[in-house]
Structures are given as C-alpha cells and as structure tokens.
Amino acid sequence: MNFTYSMPTSIYFGEDVILSHQEAFEGLGVKALIVTGRRSAKANGSYDDVRKALEYLGVEHVLFDEVEENPSLETIDKASELGKNEEVDFVIGIGGGSPLDAAKAIAVFVKNPQVTSNTVFDQGPLEHLPVVAVATTSGTGSEVTQYSIVTCNKEETKKNLGQSIFPQIAFLDPKYTYDLPYTITVNTAIDAFTHLVEGYLSSQSTPVSEIYGKEGLALFRDCFKNLLEKELSEDFRAKMMYASMLAGIQIAQAGTSLPHGMGYALTYYKGLPHGLANGVLTTAYLGCFKDQEKVGTILNLIGVKDLEELQGILDRLIDIDIDITEEELQIYASSFAENMPKLKNHPEAVGREEILKIYMESLL
Ligand code: NAP
Ligand code: ZN
C-alpha cells in the first residue's frame, strides 16, 4: 500500500454554523474581500451571516458581487484589482462553485501582483491569500478542493488555474440550499455524483480517497429517490451537502477524469450546466471502463442493478435539448485527446476514437 493524504481545510458543517463559529475568522486579517454571484448570496442568508460575523469581530469588508456562472478570467481580473486597491488580507467566497473558484483565483492574483491572467498558467506554485469558502450549492465540493476552474475565452475553454488553493476554512450550512430551485438542485447533485464516480475510478484513487467515495455514493441510494420524487426535505438538503463535501474531499486526492474533461466543451460551446455536461456522458463512460468489477461496486452502493437502470434515472433527471453534429463532436474529441492532465486520471490508455465513441453514444 502506498499513498499520501492531505486535507488542510477546516470544515464547519451544520445549521447556523457561521454565527456559532465566528471565532474561526479571527487571525485571518483586518479586511476581507467578499466574492459572490449577483443575487443568491443575498437572498439565502449566507451573505448576512458572514457580514454579521465580521462586524462582531471588527473585520472590515468590501463586496464584489459580479461573478457569473463558469467565472471568466476577465471577471476575476476585475475583482483582483478591487482586492489589490483595497489592500485586503483575505478572501471570502460565498456561493456555488463559480464564486468559490473565483475567490480562490483572486486570492492568488492579489497576493502576486506581478502575475497576470496571461502568465498564471506558466507559473510554478504560487502563494495565495487565505480563503474562506461558504458553500450554497451541493455539487462542486469546491469548498474542500484545491482547484479553481476558470473560463479562458482566449482559448475558448474552461481550465484549472493550475495552482493549489485549498480554502483555509469551509462553512457548510444546509439551510442556504433550502430554496435552491429544483433544476439547480438536480444539476449540482449530478455534478457531485460524477465526482464520486470519476474519483473512485481514477488512476490517482487511494485507499483513503475511496473511503470518502464509497460513503458519498451510498448516500445517493436515497438522494436519487428524493430527486426523482422531488422531495427536497431539510434532511435531504443536509445529506446532499454532506455527499457533495465527501465527493470534494475525494477528488482533491484523486481528481476527475474523462466525463469532466469532455464536458467542458459542452458547457463552453453549448451552454450546458456543468453537472449535466458530465452527467450526460457518465453511463457511456462506465460502459467502456475496463474494470467492470469496480463499476459493479458503484452500482451496488447506489442500489441499482445495472447501467441501464442508472441510465433510466439519469434520463429522468437530465433534461437537455441541444443541437449538436457529428462534426462538432469530432472537433471536441480531437481537442480533448490532447488534454494530458485529465487523460492521466483514466487508468487505461485512451485515444481519440474511444473519446469520440463516448460523445456519440451519449449525444447523437
Ligand atoms: P454556480 O455556477 O456557482 O451557480 C449556478 C446558479 O445557482 C447561479 O445562478 C447562482 O446564482 C445560483 N445559486 C447558487 N446558490 C444558490 C442558492 N443557495 N439558492 C438559489 N440559487 C443559488 O453553480 P455550481 O454548479 O455550484 O458551480 C459550477 C462551477 O463550479 C463551474 O464553473 C464548475 O467548473 C466549477 N467546479 C469546480 C470544482 C472545484 O473543485 N473547484 C468542482 C466542480 C465544478 P448567483 O449567481 O446569484 O449566486
Ligand atoms: Zn464537477
């Protein structure tokens, strides 16, 4: 047995967890940059809770509330300028994966004013300001991962910033997700599910990451039922947030692989939400995976008898209507066949033809 394990984020999970643990913000500095999307953080109470905690501790803050879905480097640059001008000491991301990933990237740019969005991808490891992550969706697990996925319009794709930016603190309060609309609940839940699947099957998977993966997959036995029956109880919300966090801890060790890498083109060119872009490719991916014993373990854990039954569940949840041609899939396949960081997480050698086959089976 041979593995390493590191999870440097302190996790606070539960109802009202920010106000009951406001001391966690102590020692991070005297001024924070709060990074959110346009609307939801103010509506679900998370921004208010953070503001109250900071005011109680006498920590100043400035707000950047313009992060869009799949955050662009242009938006991140704009927020980083604000952070530099205001001389902030730390960054608090509140939201789904988009504001959290943006907050992580901003923490790098504010700490390293000489690094720009053009040069960051060619840098070695960089330091960053401390990051606090407040999750308000149950999907990406970004609050416990080192990844920051950004949209690079120059290269017409999404990609990892390439720096390791674990939040110092993650707050997970399921109440922020109580009013998450059904569609976003489904899209983000499928994202967490694909993290569990891809992390478990990854060539980087370790005995420890698999513990998190199996625990998270077992929760989907109930969570899929809740999603199909639209029973979004408080108990479900807590379970879903926990599953998403476990999935995040797992992919922080093991990474994601083919569906995630292949899904980026579907998000960039066809506007498919991140979770659906991976979810739509998952069953074909599982079908072509060589170690069917490991695939069988996944199916057992989630309580379905075969891939056909899983496809039935995903078909009922995933509602996509996109125009896509074989020519476009050929282009996506050629481009992804060059994506070494993602391909290395797949345990077998895989080429353009296998990639194209997964795209075609899933989308045509
Ligand atoms: P998101 O893009 O952060 O947000 C999607 C939508 O949900 C936005 O309209 C947002 O509104 C809304 N929303 C968020 N929380 C809400 C709440 N509690 N109630 C109502 N609406 C709410 O969605 P996401 O799926 O969580 O994040 C996707 C991004 O994360 C992608 O860019 C993906 O690549 C990335 N990702 C990162 C990792 C990682 O490890 N770093 C892993 C997987 C995915 P507002 O804009 O108003 O907030
Ligand atoms: Zn994902």
Side-chain angles (χ1 to χ4, degrees), residues 161-181:
L161 198 72
Q163 295 293 326
S164 177
I165 321 155
F166 276 106
Q168 186 158 326
I169 297 166
F171 285 112
L172 294 106
D173 186 337
K175 80 177 177 199
Y176 301 141
T177 64
Y178 289 170
D179 293 327
L180 196 63

Side-chain angles (χ1 to χ4, degrees), residues 140 191 194-195 256 260 274 278:
T140 71
D191 188 25
T194 58
H195 293 165
T256 56
H260 262 70
H274 172 69
N278 319 317

Side-chain angles (χ1 to χ4, degrees), residues 36-41 44 67-71 95-99 101 104 136-137 140-142 145 147-149 158 176-177 179-181 184 188 191 195 251 260 264 274:
T36 71
R38 294 213 166 80
R39 200 197 58 83
S40 70
N44 62 37
V67 179
E68 72 277 47
E69 292 182 33
N70 306 299
S98 298
D101 284 4
K104 293 175 183 176
T136 70
T137 61
T140 71
S142 176
T145 74
Y147 312 120
S148 165
I149 312 296
K158 292 174 60 175
Y176 301 141
T177 64
D179 293 327
L180 196 63
I184 303 178
T188 46
D191 188 25
H195 293 165
I251 62 167
H260 262 70
Y264 289 157
H274 172 69

Side-chain angles (χ1 to χ4, degrees), residues 95-242:
S98 298
L100 300 192
D101 284 4
K104 293 175 183 176
I106 294 160
V108 170
F109 288 120
V110 177
K111 179 78 182 181
N112 302 278
Q114 78 288 3
V115 175
T116 70
S117 49
N118 287 321
T119 61
V120 67
F121 297 102
D122 305 319
Q123 301 278 333
L126 294 167
E127 290 186 356
H128 56 83
L129 295 185
V131 175
V132 177
V134 180
T136 70
T137 61
S138 297
T140 71
S142 176
E143 69 280 1
V144 289
T145 74
Q146 67 276 51
Y147 312 120
S148 165
I149 312 296
V150 299
T151 297
C152 180
N153 286 314
K154 215 167 65 185
E155 293 177 36
E156 298 194 352
T157 190
K158 292 174 60 175
K159 60 198 274 197
N160 188 2
L161 198 72
Q163 295 293 326
S164 177
I165 321 155
F166 276 106
Q168 186 158 326
I169 297 166
F171 285 112
L172 294 106
D173 186 337
K175 80 177 177 199
Y176 301 141
T177 64
Y178 289 170
D179 293 327
L180 196 63
Y182 179 70
T183 318
I184 303 178
T185 303
V186 167
N187 297 352
T188 46
I190 291 178
D191 188 25
F193 176 65
T194 58
H195 293 165
L196 291 163
V197 167
E198 291 173 46
Y200 183 65
L201 299 180
S202 167
S203 56
Q204 315 295 317
S205 158
T206 72
V208 180
S209 74
E210 291 194 4
I211 293 172
Y212 292 96
K214 286 182 176 168
E215 182 79 11
L217 285 163
L219 289 166
F220 266 88
R221 191 177 270 260
D222 285 343
C223 288
F224 272 141
K225 287 195 191 96
N226 286 83
L227 289 167
L228 290 169
E229 288 158 18
K230 301 195 177 178
E231 263 182 33
L232 309 181
S233 60
E234 292 182 8
D235 182 52
F236 161 77
R237 294 296 191 184
K239 225 183 247 177
M240 201 52 247
M241 192 165 244
Y242 181 52

Side-chain angles (χ1 to χ4, degrees), residues 4-18:
T4 59
Y5 176 76
S6 166
M7 227 310 285
T9 305
S10 298
I11 298 170
Y12 296 83
F13 189 107
E15 187 115 351
D16 298 325
V17 77
I18 292 183

Side-chain angles (χ1 to χ4, degrees), residues 273-309:
H274 172 69
L276 300 193
N278 319 317
V280 78
L281 302 166
T282 293
T283 330
Y285 171 64
L286 290 175
C288 78
F289 197 81
K290 290 236 170 48
D291 184 352
Q292 283 296 313
E293 206 179 306
K294 238 181 155 186
V295 173
T297 306
I298 292 177
L299 298 179
N300 258 335
L301 285 164
I302 61 173
V304 306
K305 65 177 183 312
D306 52 26
L307 282 180
E308 210 175 318
E309 189 179 344

